[in-house]
Amino acid sequence: MGEMPESGYETTAQKKPLGIRFLEWLKKGTLSYKTYQVIVLIVTFLAYAAYHAARKTTSIVKSALDPASSKLGSTAKLWEINYVSQPTERKPITLPWTLGDGWAPFDGANGTGLLGEVDLAFLAVYAMGMYFSGHLGDRMNLRIFLTIGMVGTGVFTSLFGAGYWADIHNFYYFLAVQMLAGLFQSTGWPSVVAVVGNWCGKKKRGLIMGIWNAHTSIGNISGSLIAAAMLSYGWGWSFVVPGFVIAFVGLLVFLFLPVNPSSVGADRVEEDESSSPKKSNGEEVGLTEPLLSSSFKGKQEAVGFIEAWKIPGVAPFALCLFFSKLVAYTFLYWLPFYISHTAIDGKYLSSGTAGNLSTLFDVGGVVGGILAGHISDRLNARAITAAGFMYCAIPALYFYRSYGNVSLTMNIVLMLITGMFVNGPYALITTAVSADLGTHSSLKGNSRALATVTAIIDGTGSVGAAIGPLLTGYISATSWSAVFTMLMGAAFVAGLLLTKLVIAEVGAKIAESSRSQGSPSQSSHPVAELDV
């Protein structure tokens, strides 16, 4: 490739983020394509981990805002329903606040219902905002878009915590702040997936994105630990500290995130030719091959919302994620509360200890995401892997509810297993599957569809994520066993929705096996090329 004209080089250099220019100044030369890829993976990992850390705080603080909720069904088996005969006496709230005082209006008899409504407000706006974010993300600078979203999230997360020092007890204040936080949170996922899609390749996509998607669980774990550690100083700090963290990471995004190779003048072709291994048919593979093909000629136009829905495979996976996220987000928002209100080996854990213990669910989620990505790569079958994990989640949920109270060790083991099966398909669908569908052959190489497709899939999933915690807020007031029954039903429906894709993948495997004695067949990706 010929050298870029000096004027063109200056134009590209001027568009580079300030942090990239600083790194090049230190190096006294331009950065390599692989260096940019490493920067992108690290910065987007930190960005979405910060989103989840800010999102996780509510679940940790719940038991502090509503500390005297009835411990319903604490030692019951799955199908039993227990009722509390006498309401627990509540202490009046005094300032300075101490852990265990509760906080009006969430410490009343309908406290769990109000907390569920706050979750619903956040997630409903998040889900609706997701569709618009994908639409906007394909049409503007993702670095600026992501920075605005992260700083806005930090501001409104902190404002929720500011209610502690301002002595605010108006339910609608917390509701409005959470809704605005949800709106800014919706900018995150379509943006980071689109940026990673611009830079990283197809080889071992499931495994690579499964490892990268650990940011979700790492964010949940760090958010839980920060919020639990801050509780003893006042519940407001549990929101303010993660709020400052995400705003700071947003600044790093603004300084260091290169949106795509052309924005920084990275020479993709020379990197690919020199470092990428070849397939037998001459096709280049490897990390340096971008997810989005550059074969599309002419001006690329962003794909419309309805057109993106029509891409084969988008609808079934989006609906599957609806039920998958219903299960995952119920755990995200209610697991610490459930643990602190459930007797484990006859003892109740404090809010902080319950928050710390709940992080093990996300540890299992990290393993599940990586395992699901690896298995789907080896089998070359995304739908089979996702459906299999969802079906395995059903007995895992049953055993966690029925025997998680036997001992702390049993609770930990079953929580890890449940986290692995619940978060595995959720991670797979939101990363590798979204990238597969965003680069579907029907798009003919158009690179301006990935954010929209990602937003559709995750936005539809987020509707389920809003419904699950809301229902849990009301159902748990009667029976936690009924909550787990709902979750098992959702997991079953999630697997069922992929039946057509599973049958198609099994059929493709059988056909491929029958041809194995003849000439080698080129296997196409089961999601990217499946016509359903």
Side-chain angles (χ1 to χ4, degrees):
M1 176 178 289
E3 293 185 356
M4 183 182 295
E6 187 175 344
S7 59
Y9 177 80
E10 290 174 355
T11 302
T12 301
Q14 290 170 359
K15 291 194 296 185
K16 291 181 180 180
L18 290 173
I20 296 296
R21 289 190 233 169
F22 176 70
L23 292 177
E24 290 184 337
W25 177 79
L26 289 177
K27 185 184 177 184
K28 302 189 186 309
T30 59
L31 303 178
S32 68
Y33 192 87
K34 286 193 174 185
T35 301
Y36 279 121
Q37 287 180 311
V38 171
I39 292 172
V40 166
L41 290 173
I42 292 175
V43 172
T44 54
F45 186 98
L46 292 174
Y48 211 67
Y51 271 108
H52 262 265
R55 195 179 306 174
K56 180 66 175 177
T57 54
T58 308
S59 68
I60 303 300
V61 179
K62 269 191 177 114
S63 54
L65 299 177
D66 183 20
S69 294
S70 56
K71 298 174 173 57
L72 298 169
S74 299
T75 59
K77 294 299 181 182
L78 178 62
W79 307 111
E80 295 178 0
I81 300 177
N82 290 352
Y83 298 88
V84 172
S85 56
Q86 296 292 333
T88 307
E89 225 177 277
R90 299 180 183 274
K91 297 189 297 181
I93 297 174
T94 57
L95 293 175
W97 181 87
T98 57
L99 193 60
D101 285 347
W103 192 267
F106 303 110
D107 62 342
N110 63 335
T112 55
L114 292 177
L115 290 169
E117 289 177 14
V118 169
D119 290 342
L120 174 67
F122 173 90
L123 291 167
V125 174
Y126 175 79
M128 290 185 290
M130 185 76 71
Y131 294 116
F132 293 104
S133 294
H135 184 78
L136 289 173
D138 279 331
R139 289 162 174 80
M140 66 179 292
N141 188 317
L142 287 172
R143 179 170 62 92
I144 305 300
F145 188 58
L146 196 54
T147 301
I148 293 172
M150 297 184 75
V151 173
T153 298
V155 169
F156 288 104
T157 300
S158 299
L159 282 176
F160 193 102
Y164 167 73
W165 292 282
D167 197 23
I168 296 174
H169 299 277
N170 188 315
F171 171 72
Y172 294 102
Y173 168 81
F174 297 107
L175 192 72
V177 168
Q178 277 294 81
M179 290 174 71
L180 290 168
L183 180 64
F184 281 98
Q185 279 260 358
S186 68
T187 61
W189 190 241
S191 301
V192 296
V193 172
V195 172
V196 172
N198 287 336
W199 282 97
C200 294
K202 297 179 180 179
K203 184 181 181 182
K204 296 184 179 179
R205 179 186 293 175
L207 177 61
I208 292 170
M209 299 199 85
I211 296 172
W212 174 74
N213 193 63
H215 52 49
T216 298
S217 296
I218 296 298
N220 290 340
I221 291 169
S222 59
S224 297
L225 294 176
I226 292 171
M230 293 293 105
L231 267 180
S232 58
Y233 300 100
W235 64 262
W237 288 110
S238 296
F239 287 91
V240 170
V241 173
F244 275 105
V245 169
I246 190 172
F248 174 74
V249 178
L251 178 62
L252 294 181
V253 167
F254 178 77
L255 292 175
F256 290 98
L257 184 66
V259 174
N260 52 50
S262 62
S263 67
V264 290
D267 196 343
R268 176 189 304 161
V269 176
E270 290 184 2
E271 288 287 336
D272 289 350
E273 290 176 351
S274 61
S275 60
S276 295
K278 303 277 186 176
K279 287 183 180 179
S280 59
N281 62 358
E283 180 186 350
E284 292 182 2
V285 295
L287 187 62
T288 55
E289 179 191 353
L291 292 178
L292 303 180
S293 171
S294 58
S295 61
F296 185 86
K297 303 299 181 183
K299 184 179 178 181
Q300 296 186 356
E301 295 183 0
V303 174
F305 182 79
I306 301 300
E307 184 182 352
W309 265 106
K310 294 178 180 178
I311 297 173
V314 167
F317 271 111
L319 294 174
C320 172
L321 191 62
F322 174 96
F323 290 97
S324 177
K325 286 191 76 168
L326 186 152
V327 179
Y329 269 64
T330 297
F331 274 88
L332 175 69
Y333 280 93
W334 286 100
L335 182 57
F337 186 91
Y338 171 73
I339 293 174
S340 66
H341 290 74
T342 300
I344 300 175
D345 196 16
K347 301 174 184 177
Y348 291 97
L349 302 178
S350 67
S351 298
T353 303
N356 292 334
L357 182 62
S358 70
T359 61
L360 294 175
F361 179 84
D362 291 293
V363 173
V366 172
V367 177
I370 296 172
L371 190 61
H374 179 64
I375 291 173
S376 70
D377 279 341
R378 293 294 298 270
L379 296 179
N380 200 25
R382 307 286 195 221
I384 292 174
T385 305
F389 268 71
M390 290 311 307
Y391 289 135
C392 288
I394 297 172
L397 289 164
Y398 174 85
F399 286 119
Y400 181 68
R401 170 56 182 164
S402 298
Y403 303 106
N405 64 307
V406 172
S407 68
L408 186 61
T409 301
M410 181 69 75
N411 189 286
I412 289 172
V413 171
L414 292 175
M415 192 190 305
L416 286 167
I417 294 172
T418 304
M420 181 178 70
F421 286 121
V422 168
N423 281 351
Y426 161 41
L428 180 66
I429 295 171
T430 54
T431 54
V433 169
S434 294
D436 291 340
L437 296 173
T439 58
H440 192 270
S441 60
S442 65
L443 297 171
K444 299 178 181 178
N446 190 344
S447 65
R448 302 192 64 190
L450 189 50
T452 300
V453 169
T454 301
I456 286 174
I457 293 176
D458 203 44
T460 303
S462 296
V463 176
I467 292 174
L470 173 69
L471 294 177
T472 300
Y474 290 105
I475 297 173
S476 64
T478 302
S479 167
W480 277 104
S481 297
V483 171
F484 276 81
T485 302
M486 173 190 74
L487 298 179
M488 288 188 290
F492 178 75
V493 174
L496 209 59
L497 285 165
L498 296 180
T499 300
K500 188 174 180 180
L501 294 177
V502 169
I503 292 173
E505 287 183 354
V506 171
K509 291 293 177 187
I510 294 174
E512 183 180 344
S513 177
S514 66
R515 293 193 302 265
S516 62
Q517 299 299 327
S519 59
S521 61
Q522 295 179 354
S523 62
S524 59
H525 201 283
V527 174
E529 303 301 329
L530 193 59
D531 215 4
V532 292

